[in-house]
Amino acid sequence: MSDDEDRLLHSVAMQNAQSILLARQRAEQALPSAHSGLEDKTRELDFSLSMMRATLEASRDGILVTDDNAQVTGFNQQYVRMWGIPEQLMASRDHERLLSFVGPQVEGMQAFLDRVHEIYRTSPAESFDLIKLRDGRVYERYSKMQFVEGRHVGRVWVFRDITEQRRAEDALHKKARVLELLNKTGTILTAKLDVRMLAQAVIDAATEISGAKVGAFFYSTAARRDKGFALQAVAGMAMEDFDTCGLPRTGALFDLTLSGAPLIHLDDMQKDPRHEAPPTAASGARKPAVIRSYLAVPVASGSAEVIGGLFFGHPDAGVFDERAERLVTGIAAQAGVSIDNARLYEVARQAAEEREKLLDSERAARSEAEHMSRMKDEFLAMLAHELRNPLAPLRNSVEILRRGSAGPFELEETRAIMDRQIAHMTRLVDDLLDVNRISRGKLELRLEKIRLADALRSAVETSRPLIAARHHTFEATLPDDSVLVDADLVRLSQAFTNLLNNAAKYTPEGGSVALHTVADAQGVTVNVEDTGIGIPAHLGNRIFDMFVQGESSPSMPESQGGLGIGLTLVRKIIEMHGGRIGVESRADRPGSRFVVWLPVAQATQVPPGADADHRPNPAQPQAPGTSFEPRRILVADDNKDAAFTLASLLGMMGHDVRTAHDGAEAIAMAADFSPEIIFLDIGMPHMDGYEACRRIRQLDQAPAPIIVALTGWGQADDKRKAQEAGFDHHFTKPVDPAQLEELVGSNF
Ligand code: ADP
């Protein structure tokens, strides 16, 4: 090493030594002040720790501080007090052990513990929970992660007792709810007028407001009071559960309220002697619940009459307080008035409805009556017209006869005209009589087992002249003789005659008319169809109603006339035979088709004599003698013209005839003249034909005269009466000359 190097080393060593020395000197100088600084700091720290502790203790919240290992690093006495933690447990500083101690105080312990562990595990920045204690207190728990100088050091748990606050809130809420309910009920009570809805609203509100578990509304109107009060509405259960809800529905306690006793409030109904325990339920049935708290209040109408009662129950004793009493009494009072109103409203509404109905039916009846009266007027006008129509040719014929200058051809023609016109008038009158019978429900049928073909054949025979006169082609398929019906032969053939005559009448000349029959096992269908003017579609089956007529066709003046009752008769007759009739307009060509359906009878022997030409009415005339014998005949009729013409006719036949014009005269003449045959009109003044007949029979003449009744009525009843009075025969006016001749014989 060179000297230079030596020197250099030495100087560096010196420098270092100096600086060390300097530093040491400096350090020695600084030490005392560092000491005092440290002491200051320690004091400051102590102070702030005490401040912190004092602050912690000043809080009304319970505070616990833990580190991440669930070691307690701090707490305040409020925390210890809130949970009642013993001192030595607190000294353990083990949060888990604290949790095992507080857990059982909490409702839902497991959930509480799980939540704490979850907070440890997930380390949320903050947490907020409500903790319900088993003794009813409520704690709010807030936790926050703790950081010191940016470092996570643990968690602060803050517990606040909010029990009072919650109670106040609950009470407020309840109050608001009661107000809301009362308000709502009030609105319903004033707005609704339906008793059932009112009852339900009342019991729902009152049950909730009173704090009852179950509530029931029994109600009865005065009209039903004797049947007792009926359960109208329930709350807190289903209607069908009432019998097991524990509230009484009979017994002294129950009756007391419904007989108007003021509010009954029992803290424990089970201890009240008036309470009757329900009978032990049958095995399998649900056991009734036990009600202890009981509240019942009558519901009275505006006139202070008890119309029902509100009943409340709760399984716990002493639930209802004075407030519940007040509210329930108030609701019952309001309910009484509102239900009364609803009831009055209901009565008024029903009365109004009734009145409206009455008015409606009166209006309908009036318009029906007006309609009927119009129909009747139209009918009478038409009837007058129809009856007058044949009079003109008859009058002319009489004039021809009076002049006596007619040749044999004119005479024969005149006679034929008179015949036809009289037949027409007779038919009109017969129809009228039948319709009159229908409307009085007096149309009678003589049902027999007959061959349908016989009835149809008879109808065809009767209509054939008209069909021929109008030059229609005609075809008929009749059922074979095995098709039997239970029917009145005359009426049934009358029905088909009407249909065939109409077909001929409402078809322009030269058309075609047909009758076809199709039989099956249950019934037989008869179609009567034509190629005529058809039935207007708008009429349809109304054409069968009385007096209804289609429009007359200008091209067919002969279709005019008629009374609009023929089809009414047809339908009635068919229906009385258990059948149906309908009409169809033909789509393929003009014309109508009347479709009649009749039930067929069981095939047994057809009684002999049920033949087409058999009539129910006619006298059973004596067989005309082979040699003519003039007879002594008495004709008694108060209608002198009728008596005269009949007498003349009989005189012209070669008989010795006298006339009488009342019953007394007839008897005198019968005694004097000893007639062999007497024609007695039934409807004579002073003494009717029946009486006259009885008296003549009392003369006991030998040989007894044949006495024949002449009436306008061919009813079975008239015939029976005639028979009882002693008549031998019964002729319906006008008497058919052929029938007359058959009875008395003639020398024409
Ligand atoms: P009337 O023939 O006396 O008027 P009805 O009761 O027999 O009475 O018939 C009622 C109406 O039905 C007739 O006026 C006619 O307009 C209509 N009518 C009946 N039968 C036929 C038919 N075969 N074709 C067309 N119209 C008919």
Side-chain angles (χ1 to χ4, degrees):
M1 186 167 24
S2 69
D3 288 351
D4 290 344
E5 283 173 337
D6 257 358
R7 264 195 317 276
L8 190 61
L9 267 176
H10 182 76
S11 94
V12 169
M14 277 309 284
Q15 270 176 17
N16 279 350
Q18 267 175 355
S19 14
I20 289 167
L21 204 65
L22 214 69
R24 195 169 154 181
Q25 276 169 354
R26 259 194 227 125
E28 273 169 6
Q29 280 164 7
L31 202 60
S33 69
H35 252 294
S36 79
L38 195 63
E39 274 167 13
D40 285 353
K41 284 279 180 236
T42 311
R43 254 198 314 277
E44 260 176 43
L45 200 63
D46 276 352
F47 180 74
S48 64
L49 271 176
S50 307
M51 276 294 284
M52 207 172 83
R53 178 143 300 283
T55 312
L56 275 182
E57 290 304 337
S59 169
R60 281 160 62 187
D61 296 338
I63 299 169
L64 177 75
V65 189
T66 56
D67 66 13
D68 282 347
N69 301 319
Q71 287 303 299
V72 174
T73 54
F75 63 93
N76 67 1
Q77 285 307 310
Q78 177 64 2
Y79 171 77
V80 176
R81 270 195 299 277
M82 279 173 85
W83 293 105
I85 300 173
E87 209 171 320
Q88 77 265 31
L89 181 59
M90 214 54 239
S92 75
R93 305 235 151 200
D94 182 344
H95 194 188
E96 279 303 337
R97 285 185 60 193
L98 295 185
L99 287 173
S100 323
F101 178 78
V102 302
Q105 298 179 44
V106 170
E107 256 182 34
M109 177 171 79
Q110 197 50 51
F112 166 79
L113 295 177
D114 289 350
R115 173 72 178 140
V116 175
H117 293 142
E118 180 195 310
I119 293 171
Y120 271 117
R121 204 176 54 249
T122 58
S123 290
E126 289 177 307
S127 76
F128 185 88
D129 294 279
L130 268 187
I131 301 169
K132 279 195 177 159
L133 276 70
R134 298 166 74 103
D135 61 8
R137 282 178 298 164
V138 184
Y139 289 176
E140 199 178 83
R141 184 185 63 199
Y142 170 70
S143 85
K144 190 172 190 327
M145 237 202 229
Q146 227 186 5
F147 291 90
V148 174
E149 292 172 4
R151 205 160 51 86
H152 173 202
V153 292
R155 180 168 289 274
V156 190
W157 308 81
V158 182
F159 296 86
R160 180 169 292 176
D161 185 344
I162 56 162
T163 314
E164 278 315 308
Q165 182 189 334
R166 283 292 287 243
R167 277 209 186 117
E169 270 174 21
D170 271 3
L172 205 67
H173 181 74
K174 245 197 192 139
K175 219 174 194 163
R177 173 78 184 136
V178 167
L179 279 175
E180 184 197 351
L181 269 174
L182 283 177
N183 204 4
K184 201 172 110 196
T185 318
T187 317
I188 293 177
L189 287 180
T190 47
K192 296 278 183 247
L193 288 165
D194 175 274
V195 174
R196 192 165 276 279
M197 275 181 76
L198 282 177
Q200 191 62 54
V202 162
I203 200 63
D204 282 347
T207 305
E208 186 173 341
I209 288 171
S210 64
K213 184 89 187 295
V214 289
F217 191 154
F218 279 83
Y219 169 75
S220 174
T221 61
R224 291 191 328 232
R225 196 67 45 79
D226 53 331
K227 296 197 184 112
F229 288 81
L231 182 60
Q232 183 80 16
V234 297
M237 64 186 139
M239 201 80 163
E240 57 271 23
D241 291 340
F242 180 83
D243 284 335
T244 52
C245 85
L247 279 174
R249 84 180 311 164
T250 52
L253 206 52
F254 179 77
D255 292 343
L256 212 56
T257 297
L258 293 174
S259 61
L263 177 130
I264 299 174
H265 175 189
L266 303 176
D267 276 337
D268 192 346
M269 178 172 77
Q270 302 300 327
K271 292 194 183 136
D272 193 286
R274 291 166 300 183
H275 170 59
E276 293 164 19
T280 37
S283 63
R286 241 190 311 154
K287 246 176 79 187
V290 174
I291 292 290
R292 292 194 184 284
S293 294
Y294 176 80
L295 197 60
V297 55
V299 175
S301 71
S303 52
E305 174 201 10
V306 177
I307 56 172
L310 303 179
F311 300 83
F312 305 93
H314 197 287
D316 297 341
V319 165
F320 302 126
D321 53 12
E322 202 205 324
R323 193 167 143 276
E325 286 184 9
R326 251 191 355 255
L327 290 170
V328 162
T329 311
I331 292 179
Q334 268 194 54
V337 175
S338 304
I339 288 181
D340 221 19
N341 280 347
R343 221 168 52 184
L344 287 177
Y345 172 77
E346 185 60 17
V347 170
R349 199 183 55 77
Q350 269 174 10
E353 237 170 48
E354 212 89 310
R355 207 174 42 241
E356 199 48 41
K357 252 192 233 150
L358 271 178
L359 275 176
D360 275 357
S361 64
E362 201 198 328
R363 254 178 246 133
R366 194 173 329 126
S367 92
E368 175 69 14
E370 280 166 5
H371 178 67
M372 287 312 283
S373 150
R374 248 195 332 272
M375 295 268 276
K376 194 189 73 196
D377 289 348
E378 282 168 17
F379 172 71
L380 286 177
M382 199 161 60
L383 180 61
H385 175 79
E386 284 304 307
L387 288 176
R388 198 176 290 267
N389 268 347
L391 288 182
L394 279 175
R395 168 158 294 175
N396 294 342
S397 305
V398 170
E399 188 56 28
I400 292 169
L401 294 180
R402 194 180 66 78
R403 293 189 179 219
S405 54
F409 173 75
E410 279 90 0
L411 274 182
E412 179 50 28
E413 202 45 28
T414 304
R415 191 200 57 74
I417 288 170
M418 291 177 84
D419 245 5
R420 262 202 311 278
Q421 296 304 328
I422 288 168
H424 179 60
M425 278 185 97
T426 309
R427 217 174 24 248
L428 279 178
V429 173
D430 279 349
D431 275 2
L432 266 179
L433 290 176
D434 281 344
V435 159
N436 184 37
R437 283 180 195 125
I438 287 180
S439 49
R440 291 185 307 141
K442 286 262 168 82
L443 196 70
E444 288 171 9
L445 292 187
R446 275 187 35 184
L447 294 180
E448 285 174 301
K449 205 158 293 234
I450 60 160
R451 286 184 283 264
L452 177 63
D454 287 344
L456 296 177
R457 217 172 278 129
S458 159
V460 168
E461 284 323 308
T462 314
S463 303
R464 202 186 284 284
L466 182 64
I467 296 173
R470 295 186 56 76
H471 309 293
H472 297 314
T473 59
F474 178 66
E475 67 185 58
T477 46
L478 299 183
D480 68 48
D481 283 351
S482 66
V483 178
L484 304 182
V485 284
D486 283 317
D488 181 324
L489 182 90
V490 175
R491 288 295 185 193
L492 198 57
S493 69
Q494 177 189 359
F496 286 107
T497 304
N498 270 350
L499 291 179
L500 286 169
N501 281 349
N502 275 352
K505 204 162 113 184
Y506 295 106
T507 301
E509 284 199 3
S512 45
V513 173
L515 181 146
H516 294 296
T517 321
V518 191
D520 59 39
Q522 284 79 42
V524 52
T525 304
V526 184
N527 294 325
V528 177
E529 49 190 273
D530 59 55
T531 52
I533 59 175
I535 305 287
H538 71 273
L539 282 177
N541 281 336
R542 274 189 43 226
I543 202 74
F544 295 104
D545 292 348
M546 209 175 275
F547 310 140
V548 173
Q549 294 185 307
E551 275 132 53
S552 54
S553 151
S555 63
M556 275 184 59
E558 60 274 55
S559 72
Q560 290 167 12
L563 296 172
I565 53 184
L567 286 180
T568 312
L569 254 172
V570 171
R571 180 173 62 182
K572 185 71 192 173
I573 291 171
I574 297 298
E575 285 176 354
M576 284 175 80
H577 281 89
R580 294 186 296 271
I581 181 165
V583 64
E584 294 166 4
S585 267
R586 306 196 37 152
D588 49 344
R589 58 178 161 135
S592 346
R593 176 192 285 145
F594 285 81
V595 183
V596 176
W597 180 88
L598 286 167
V600 290
Q602 288 311 312
T604 49
Q605 208 58 45
V606 180
D611 271 332
D613 53 4
H614 166 79
R615 306 209 37 109
N617 176 18
Q620 296 303 311
Q622 295 171 339
T626 36
S627 61
F628 177 76
E629 291 257 345
R631 299 190 186 278
R632 283 190 311 284
I633 302 180
L634 169 62
V635 174
D637 196 326
D638 63 321
N639 181 330
K640 291 187 178 158
D641 291 351
F644 174 78
T645 48
L646 182 56
S648 306
L649 197 59
L650 289 166
M652 286 164 84
M653 289 175 183
H655 302 290
D656 181 4
V657 192
R658 306 275 164 92
T659 55
H661 300 124
D662 62 40
E665 203 183 340
I667 297 165
M669 211 164 268
D672 254 20
F673 176 54
S674 299
E676 294 162 85
I677 301 173
I678 305 176
F679 288 96
L680 270 182
D681 178 34
I682 293 296
M684 289 186 293
H686 311 308
M687 186 191 295
D688 67 11
Y690 297 127
E691 186 55 28
C693 178
R694 265 190 291 274
R695 301 260 183 107
I696 292 170
R697 285 291 182 223
Q698 280 164 13
L699 295 176
D700 221 4
Q701 289 169 310
I706 295 170
I707 312 185
V708 182
L710 298 176
T711 77
W713 308 93
Q715 288 292 82
D717 196 39
D718 301 313
K719 288 179 198 164
R720 187 184 46 75
K721 266 159 84 181
Q723 217 166 21
E724 279 168 12
F727 281 104
D728 296 304
H729 299 294
H730 182 279
F731 282 10
T732 308
K733 291 202 275 189
V735 183
D736 179 1
Q739 205 180 358
L740 200 62
E741 205 173 336
E742 206 170 346
L743 179 78
V744 300
S746 102
N747 68 350
F748 284 170

